Amino acid sequence: MSIDDILRELREDRVHGASWYFLKGIEVIRIAIERGLEPSDIKALLNELRGVRPGMASIMNLADIIERSLNIGLDLNNVINRLRDWYDSASKRLLTQLDRFPIMCGSKAITISYSSAVKAALSRWGKCIDVLYVMESRPGNEVIQAISDYSNYVGNVVPIPDSAIAHFMRNVNYVISGADGLYSDGYFLNKVGTEPLFIVAHRFDVNTIVIAESYKAVSGCVGEVYMVDFHIDNQGVQVPLFDEVPLELIDYLITDLNIIKKPKPENIENLRELLINNVLNPSG
């Protein structure tokens, strides 16, 4: 695929999350390097990537690391290889952390949207979860992919209307969510509908779990949130694709590096620094 083809795919996608965008972004930069693009052209390309999903942490980190590498004259091939290695090793480390978490057998859980991190969690916890409720997660149709993939690990996966979460919350033990970004300003970013899900969970004293790899940790804030058109009966309105959910609503943050109870902004900063140091200064 060409760079333009991949950028178009990224803009039009309505299913995948931050991990997929991270890999696709790496692919875009690798093609740019292979084609011998000048540093100024690569920097312009980075701005295009940032604009694909404004505020998505994995894209922000990728673009920031590549721009820093250009500014200090690092070999971009080596940087891209280390980013890919970090992605691969993060996936393996995340499974180790998930195995450490004491999920209660015979439990019920609610999740929203589709997340590769949640899929990884279910691959380890699925035998202990009797019922998994999956919100319809509108706007978008990623719930179809979620039900298909999650059913490989949980015997009873049940789609529910977004408006019915309070009813089902009365009988669940966990809310499990991925994250498109962890921000040191004090919140995480995920599919719109996640904030009311977590608020209702706390209303009913249900444990909330967020699962996210370290390359989704960003210093600062999200800035602009990506907006989409939503239509009901020929009436249209623009809605944000993501919610900014306060960290204080998270009981457990599970990353590839650690399990953090009641995460705070400094925890996000630490995750971000570990990523930057390991990619830009691997021997440091």
Side-chain angles (χ1 to χ4, degrees), residues 40-52 59 63 67:
S40 59
D41 294 325
I42 293 178
K43 287 184 178 182
L45 181 58
L46 294 177
N47 286 331
E48 284 196 68
L49 271 175
R50 291 183 179 107
V52 163
I59 293 293
E67 188 157 15

Side-chain angles (χ1 to χ4, degrees), residues 54-75:
M56 182 173 278
S58 59
I59 293 293
M60 291 172 65
N61 276 332
L62 172 64
D64 185 39
I65 287 171
I66 297 301
E67 188 157 15
R68 287 196 195 190
S69 301
L70 287 168
N71 290 340
I72 60 179
L74 295 181
D75 185 320

Side-chain angles (χ1 to χ4, degrees), residues 134-188:
V134 183
M135 293 169 59
E136 60 181 332
S137 314
R138 299 180 73 193
N141 59 1
E142 68 270 19
V143 67
I144 297 171
Q145 185 71 50
I147 293 169
S148 174
D149 283 8
Y150 297 169
S151 294
N152 292 324
Y153 307 109
V154 179
N156 193 9
V157 177
V158 181
I160 62 172
D162 293 342
S163 57
I165 54 175
H167 169 77
F168 290 96
M169 194 69 71
R170 290 174 168 85
N171 298 303
V172 304
N173 309 97
Y174 302 103
V175 162
I176 305 171
S177 174
D180 284 291
L182 306 167
Y183 297 83
S184 65
D185 269 17
Y187 54 86
F188 74 98

Side-chain angles (χ1 to χ4, degrees), residues 15 20 26 47 60 62 82 131 164 193 200 222 234 241 258 283:
V15 174
W20 182 79
I26 289 174
N47 286 331
M60 291 172 65
L62 172 64
R82 287 197 292 270
V131 182
V200 173
V222 65
N234 296 323
L241 194 57
N258 48 18
S283 60

